[in-house]
Amino acid sequence: MSLQQFINEAISPWMQENGPDSDIVLSSRIRLARNFEQVPFPILANQEDLDHILDFFQQEYGQQSFGNYHQFELVRMNELQSIQKRVLVEKHLISPHLVEHSNHGAALISKNEQVSVMVNEEDHIRIQLYFPGFQLEKALKQASEFDDWLEEKINYAFDEDRGYLTSCPTNVGTGMRASVMMHLPALVMTQQINRMIPAINQLGLVVRGIYGEGSEALGNIFQISNQITLGKSETDIVEDLKSVVQQLIEQERNARKRIMDQSGVQLEDKIFRSYGILSNSRIIESKEASKCLSDVRLGIDLGYIQHIPKTILNELMILTQPGFLQQYAQKNLSPEERDVRRASLIRERLKLENNL
Amino acid sequence: MECQECHQRPATLHFTQVINGHKKEVHVCEKCAYEQGYMSQNSESFSLPNLLSGLFNFDSYPMSQSKNQTSSYEAPPKLQCEKCGLTYDEFTKIGKFGCAKCYKTFGEKLNPIFRRVHSGNSVHDGKVPKRMGGDIHVRKQIEEQRQKLNHLIRSEEFEEAAKVRDQIRMLEKQMNSEQGDGDQ
Ligand SMILES: [Zn+2]
Ligand SMILES: [Zn+2]
């Protein structure tokens, strides 16, 4: 398969679009947790119950369409190879939890991959809906409409006082987790982010890196999401998150401007060195790759680099994950082999742009 | 002023909580503020096992509401969900509910947990399912209007109050007719 073909299949169509504020906000997501009223939650349900739910989803929603979301396909975990599952995780279409408890898990995915419903994860139903850029309200509206569409055929576990009932007490109420993925290189460079994270936590929001482990945020990509799901309406939760994200966008833009004004040449140098590493290296670990990709993306946003599309950061962060590298190679790879493959995939990808 | 939770120690913490858009004054002692989840701990103690193990411990305290019971505290009967079989003790260990029924079974005992996890909230204030929700939508509206009515009467704005009262009657009618529809 050619690299271009592979990329087209690997990157969800919605990801290749540019949304509002996409110089900083890569994507917006709404996740809703729902359960069947009459069936114990997956943690205690018996196998028949869970299989029954899978069959129900296949029958009622398989090949159906709703709004802009067409041809839903139910992908059962026990029918996939482990690399295929890993690829779905790296595309954020399913969670590692669904893979780990995969005997009765499945995902109902729309053709454009904007909607993915995990079935029999920690809850019976986890609706996820993505939008490119900063579009939380739109995502909430469509997620809620989609939720209504599912509800036409399902009796949800709901209580007037506690709201939507979920397996974990941290999700009860709205069952909603709203989040945005943000690229914040300048706030990291100026170390402002270290002061901002505790302040954001105080507001009931969670900040974490998407790639990398612990407090590390590879590629300077952060996810900001709501912690509280009970006692606040969906709209209020989204409003509160929105206003914090708005401030972060402003701060990041100011920091970028300041760095450019005060040390423009140094910044330009850093960006082009990273571009040099990506275009020439023969072995590259994911940590270095994500650092360089973040620099190059910043270079594109600031106009230093002009012939590469913005989506390259998001795209290559995903394509250079272990699952994708192995799928492209069509075999299992050792970590050392991956570093070689990663370097060559990035070189090839950048060459595609130079040939245009 | 005595603490509104234990009614034993003096209230040392006073604050206003906004729940469902209504302000509620809270007066509690420091111990109850922590144990009943009014005080949200910082992120390090936020993980669920921490929260639950904290709760598990204070289960052994005499938590009675009146003073004269404290001396003769006895262990409560074992709480167990009749649908999925999960006990309250198991719940505090795994930090997960087994089914929808667990919520009703464990009932009020969950309030402190929810308050701690959700910044002092224990009652839902968001979406209601369209089909399943039935008359909850209307009931919530009626409740809001009643509170408004009380407020207006107290401040002697009788003209406004009469309008609100009419609205409540209309909503009640609507609710009754919807119930009629449901029977078909
Ligand atoms: Zn007290
Ligand atoms: Zn139960």
Side-chain angles (χ1 to χ4, degrees):
Chain A
M1 188 173 12
S2 79
L3 180 62
Q4 188 63 65
Q5 240 181 317
F6 178 66
I7 293 170
N8 290 345
E9 281 177 30
I11 301 302
S12 306
W14 65 266
M15 247 187 234
Q16 283 158 338
E17 293 162 29
N18 276 324
D21 297 306
S22 62
D23 55 330
I24 292 166
V25 182
L26 304 178
S27 63
S28 306
R29 185 195 73 163
I30 296 288
R31 193 214 69 196
L32 300 173
R34 302 288 186 251
N35 284 285
F36 285 81
E37 187 182 31
Q38 294 300 333
V39 187
F41 300 146
I43 190 175
L44 286 186
N46 60 41
Q47 312 213 335
E48 281 157 55
D49 284 337
L50 296 177
D51 281 335
H52 197 78
I53 290 179
L54 287 185
D55 293 341
F56 173 84
F57 262 83
Q58 176 63 54
Q59 226 166 51
E60 299 296 337
Y61 306 110
Q63 303 312 316
Q64 295 291 306
S65 298
F66 175 77
N68 294 324
Y69 312 117
H70 301 290
Q71 289 173 43
F72 279 100
E73 193 187 337
L74 189 76
V75 184
R76 290 175 194 245
M77 289 303 117
N78 60 10
E79 290 170 3
L80 296 181
Q81 314 271 320
S82 64
I83 291 182
Q84 291 175 304
K85 284 185 255 187
R86 201 157 174 178
V87 162
L88 290 178
V89 172
E90 289 168 5
K91 287 175 102 166
H92 306 294
L93 289 172
I94 63 172
S95 65
H97 182 102
L98 191 73
V99 173
E100 283 152 26
H101 307 81
S102 60
N103 272 341
H104 303 277
L108 185 77
I109 303 173
S110 70
K111 189 147 199 263
N112 63 2
E113 298 182 351
Q114 215 173 338
V115 177
S116 163
V117 183
M118 286 189 278
V119 184
N120 294 335
E121 209 241 24
E122 184 181 285
D123 295 300
H124 296 137
I125 301 167
R126 287 265 176 109
I127 302 165
Q128 302 189 95
L129 196 143
Y130 290 95
F131 265 97
F134 189 22
Q135 307 192 65
L136 277 173
E137 273 162 339
K138 215 165 165 186
L140 173 62
K141 186 167 175 285
Q142 300 215 351
S144 190
E145 285 167 9
F146 181 79
D147 176 45
D148 294 340
W149 182 62
L150 289 190
E151 202 233 351
E152 284 172 17
K153 289 173 181 161
I154 300 172
N155 287 342
Y156 280 154
F158 180 85
D159 178 88
E160 192 170 346
D161 289 333
R162 307 297 197 191
Y164 291 93
L165 306 178
T166 54
S167 181
C168 185
T170 55
N171 294 317
V172 71
T174 59
M176 181 180 81
R177 202 71 64 193
S179 63
V180 291
M181 227 206 268
M182 302 183 83
H183 183 224
L184 303 172
L187 292 179
V188 173
M189 259 182 249
T190 58
Q191 298 186 354
Q192 279 169 280
I193 194 79
N194 299 334
R195 277 183 287 119
M196 296 171 95
I197 289 176
I200 296 171
N201 288 339
Q202 292 272 306
L203 298 169
L205 301 176
V206 187
V207 185
R208 61 181 190 92
I210 301 226
Y211 301 101
E213 269 150 42
S215 57
E216 214 177 13
L218 288 188
N220 299 319
I221 299 176
F222 295 86
Q223 186 191 58
I224 330 276
S225 58
N226 62 300
Q227 168 100 52
I228 297 159
T229 57
L230 186 64
K232 264 169 94 172
S233 71
E234 288 82 355
T235 327
D236 287 348
I237 293 171
V238 162
E239 275 307 311
D240 290 353
L241 177 59
K242 249 181 75 184
S243 76
V244 169
V245 171
Q246 211 102 51
Q247 288 175 44
L248 276 169
I249 292 174
E250 222 166 280
Q251 298 284 341
E252 168 70 20
R253 285 200 183 125
N254 289 341
R256 287 180 185 187
K257 217 177 282 159
R258 241 185 354 261
I259 299 171
M260 259 170 90
D261 290 346
Q262 288 167 8
S263 35
V265 189
Q266 284 87 342
L267 181 64
E268 194 176 349
D269 179 67
K270 180 178 155 83
I271 287 165
F272 278 99
R273 274 169 190 274
S274 288
Y275 182 53
I277 290 173
L278 292 177
S279 341
N280 294 294
S281 70
R282 280 1 191 209
I283 301 170
I284 194 162
E285 284 184 19
S286 67
K287 195 170 174 175
E288 188 183 13
S290 49
K291 183 200 148 289
C292 294
L293 284 167
S294 169
D295 287 343
V296 167
R297 168 71 205 252
L298 181 63
I300 298 167
D301 289 330
L302 297 180
Y304 291 119
I305 297 177
Q306 306 209 323
H307 63 287
I308 301 176
K310 281 181 183 182
T311 46
I312 196 115
L313 170 69
N314 220 344
E315 181 187 309
L316 283 178
M317 283 300 287
I318 293 171
L319 285 178
T320 56
Q321 302 283 309
F324 270 112
L325 286 175
Q326 297 181 81
Q327 203 197 30
Y328 188 41
Q330 305 270 341
K331 61 176 181 189
N332 289 320
L333 301 168
S334 70
E336 292 75 24
E337 288 172 317
R338 278 185 231 152
D339 292 345
V340 174
R341 289 275 177 166
R342 181 176 297 114
S344 83
L345 190 145
I346 293 173
R347 283 200 322 274
E348 276 181 72
R349 176 69 188 86
L350 292 175
K351 234 183 262 161
L352 280 181
E353 295 300 332
N354 290 332
N355 290 342
L356 285 178
Chain B
M1 184 184 288
E2 73 175 17
C3 166
Q4 67 184 52
E5 288 289 339
C6 63
H7 303 280
Q8 288 174 16
R9 289 172 290 273
T12 51
L13 290 159
H14 313 273
F15 51 92
T16 318
Q17 233 185 351
V18 182
I19 292 173
N20 296 346
H22 300 294
K23 283 188 184 162
K24 191 185 148 201
E25 304 247 311
V26 179
H27 308 281
V28 286
C29 69
E30 206 159 321
K31 192 167 155 72
C32 291
Y34 174 66
E35 288 173 356
Q36 298 293 311
Y38 285 109
M39 250 179 4
S40 70
Q41 297 291 300
N42 284 334
S43 42
E44 53 199 292
S45 54
F46 211 86
S47 74
L48 200 63
N50 276 347
L51 293 175
L52 292 169
S53 65
L55 289 163
F56 192 48
N57 291 339
F58 81 72
D59 229 18
S60 55
Y61 290 122
M63 284 294 294
S64 55
Q65 296 291 316
S66 67
K67 286 174 190 169
N68 48 15
Q69 276 179 9
T70 46
S71 50
S72 61
Y73 176 75
E74 279 169 41
K78 197 165 142 190
L79 257 181
Q80 184 170 26
C81 175
E82 60 179 28
K83 179 160 173 101
C84 72
L86 190 78
T87 66
Y88 184 75
D89 284 356
E90 284 168 336
F91 164 68
T92 63
K93 277 181 202 118
I94 59 174
K96 302 270 154 60
F97 294 106
C99 74
K101 197 88 195 265
C102 290
Y103 279 85
K104 278 268 176 268
T105 310
F106 304 149
E108 299 284 300
K109 273 182 98 120
L110 299 172
N111 286 342
I113 301 181
F114 290 146
R115 282 197 210 112
R116 267 199 235 180
V117 179
H118 300 285
S119 286
N121 299 310
S122 55
V123 179
H124 178 55
D125 186 25
K127 185 174 177 177
V128 172
K130 264 197 164 157
R131 197 171 46 80
M132 276 278 294
D135 56 16
I136 295 177
H137 295 278
V138 188
R139 280 220 309 279
K140 282 205 162 169
Q141 261 176 295
I142 293 176
E143 202 181 298
E144 269 167 39
Q145 294 294 326
R146 281 215 181 105
Q147 262 159 3
K148 199 166 153 194
L149 181 65
N150 287 340
H151 188 81
L152 289 170
I153 291 173
R154 243 179 285 137
S155 54
E156 302 189 2
E157 294 172 58
F158 297 115
E159 224 169 290
E160 258 317 291
K163 280 187 208 157
V164 173
R165 194 198 48 217
D166 289 346
Q167 239 167 350
I168 293 174
R169 284 198 184 136
M170 219 174 63
L171 287 167
E172 280 170 343
K173 241 186 225 162
Q174 187 187 334
M175 197 167 74
N176 291 336
S177 71
E178 265 176 25
Q179 271 170 350
D181 290 347
D183 291 338
Q184 288 171 3

